[in-house]
Amino acid sequence: MIGGGIAGYCAALAARRDGAEVTVVARAPGATALYAGGMEIIDEIESILQRPNHPLTRLGIDAVGLATELDTAVSTLLLALRKEGLKFEGGWRSRGLYADIHGLARPANVVPETVARGELGALSGKRVAVIGVPEVGDYDARSTALALKELHGIDAFAEEVSIAELPTAAALTDLYGRRAPAPRARGAAIAYPPGFTNLPDDGFELLASPPSPHGWRLQQAIGLGAVRGEIISFETARGRVTAARSADRTFHADAIVLATGRHIGGGLHAARSTTEPLLGLSVFYEGRPAESLGSRLHHLKYIDASEEMRIGLMTDRRLHPLDKDGSVPYANLYAAGAVLGGYDYAGPCGFGVPILTGWLAGRYAAKQ
Ligand SMILES: Cc1cc2nc3c(=O)[nH]c(=O)nc-3n(C[C@H](O)[C@H](O)[C@H](O)COP(=O)(O)OP(=O)(O)OC[C@H]3O[C@@H](n4cnc5c(N)ncnc54)[C@H](O)[C@@H]3O)c2cc1C
């Protein structure tokens, strides 16, 4: 497995479950380490299946089959994370709204246990104390409380709690790992900026903006078993990839899963024309090779960034990356996660595509 994000992790879980001997090689944290704290897995399967270039449609599995695979993939993932000490709540069939540090609501299917108590519907009718730390410059609890009140009708108020030992010009990141301060207000739910530990029973964490304590905790949990290294080239023979090479090691494998992420992870290189840097795999936009679109996508980036972000690898039903003529260049190579195109990376499948394609790529690879 090349890639230490959520896709590589799910691929490794599935392949190990099916009896494969797995090595995960990861260069550095990618987009997974930046996620805001709410996993968006899927909204409506039926509407996804109407979109022919969506990576989940391309699997050729019907709605019932996708639901069954999601059940297994998500429950296995949450169980594995629990064993690593991270507890999550929710499932791909449930959906809630959670406030971020600015008081804006974001939908999510699965959230850390420490975020779950802050589901906006569950806060209605309660008083909510939003904890502020006067020494911290990049977060304002009063604005957050005001937004919770104005946007979501929640009876929120700010309470400032000083933490004297913080460095001067402290930022939210300086709160990471500190024990949650106790507020004076009693009888209210307590909204904390993310990063504190030992929250009281009625406390919850807000979602983050990057850098994200939620993302960092997740990345640390899933990165424990990975080998640190950057794959720089491959050995190939007769339509198969036989080994992946880093500067000082060669990893021989019967099957390889590319879970290298998008621009942040490094799986795609954005320039005038976006490329896949490791094997020169074809990159597609809406089912067409991106190189055939000239500089159109490059221009689109400035007009509508989310459109350009739909670019990526395209796969067959078994998650083999395709060449621009639709052929499979390597029979034992699989691709999973944000390196795939055809879906809205920052949308309702932000984690769903990496989790499910990772899971299936791991299973298919284990069969090699
Ligand atoms: C700022 C931000 C916030 C987000 N928030 C949310 C959210 O709240 N909810 C949600 O559902 N989705 C969110 N997303 C989307 C979601 O985080 C990503 O879709 C998901 O994490 C992608 O996972 P991945 O494993 O495919 O890629 P990544 O997590 O990017 O992992 C790619 C991995 O591949 C490795 N790699 C790449 N090239 C090599 C190489 N040559 N050799 C070795 N390793 C290599 C990288 O080092 C990295 O470990 C957010 C994304 C961003 C950027």
Side-chain angles (χ1 to χ4, degrees), residues 214-262:
H214 302 298
W216 192 240
R217 286 179 191 133
L218 178 61
Q219 186 64 57
Q220 293 209 309
I222 67 179
L224 289 173
V227 175
R228 181 102 183 253
E230 176 177 10
I231 299 304
I232 46 177
S233 64
F234 289 92
E235 291 171 17
T236 62
R238 294 185 299 280
R240 293 176 72 82
V241 182
T242 52
R245 281 204 220 107
S246 68
D248 54 3
R249 261 181 91 173
T250 301
F251 301 89
H252 292 275
D254 296 310
I256 287 187
V257 176
L258 210 57
T260 44
R262 205 162 289 199

Side-chain angles (χ1 to χ4, degrees), residues 2-8 25-41 106 210 219 229-232 259-262 264-267 278 336-339 343 345-347 349-352 354:
I2 305 170
I6 196 71
V25 189
R27 174 171 55 197
T32 303
L34 299 175
Y35 98 114
M39 296 185 187
E40 286 193 77
I41 295 179
R106 293 184 60 147
Q219 186 64 57
E230 176 177 10
I231 299 304
I232 46 177
T260 44
R262 205 162 289 199
I264 291 174
L278 284 178
V339 73
Y343 77 105
Y345 168 76
C349 293
F351 260 61

Side-chain angles (χ1 to χ4, degrees), residues 111-298:
V111 292
E113 186 190 40
T114 50
V115 169
R117 289 189 287 270
E119 204 281 315
L120 288 173
L123 292 181
S124 106
K126 288 188 183 165
R127 295 180 73 229
V128 178
V130 182
I131 299 300
V133 181
E135 291 81 7
V136 168
D138 56 351
Y139 158 70
D140 177 28
R142 272 172 310 177
S143 309
T144 308
L146 200 60
L148 286 174
K149 199 172 230 169
E150 287 180 358
L151 300 176
H152 315 298
I154 288 168
D155 182 10
F157 60 95
E159 185 176 327
E160 301 285 336
V161 184
S162 177
I163 304 180
E165 66 272 21
L166 284 172
T168 40
L172 272 174
T173 44
D174 292 303
L175 303 179
Y176 188 77
R178 289 175 189 271
R179 205 181 170 86
R184 289 178 303 277
R186 292 275 165 251
I190 311 162
Y192 286 93
F196 285 119
T197 62
N198 301 88
L199 263 54
D201 288 345
D202 41 7
F204 64 90
E205 288 183 290
L206 296 165
L207 300 182
S209 50
S212 162
H214 302 298
W216 192 240
R217 286 179 191 133
L218 178 61
Q219 186 64 57
Q220 293 209 309
I222 67 179
L224 289 173
V227 175
R228 181 102 183 253
E230 176 177 10
I231 299 304
I232 46 177
S233 64
F234 289 92
E235 291 171 17
T236 62
R238 294 185 299 280
R240 293 176 72 82
V241 182
T242 52
R245 281 204 220 107
S246 68
D248 54 3
R249 261 181 91 173
T250 301
F251 301 89
H252 292 275
D254 296 310
I256 287 187
V257 176
L258 210 57
T260 44
R262 205 162 289 199
H263 303 308
I264 291 174
L268 297 177
H269 272 188
R272 191 162 284 273
S273 163
T274 300
T275 54
E276 189 288 311
L278 284 178
L279 281 149
L281 296 167
S282 295
V283 174
F284 295 81
Y285 173 74
E286 295 299 351
R288 293 169 63 191
E291 62 182 38
S292 70
L293 298 168
S295 55
R296 187 176 135 72
L297 285 174
H298 190 61

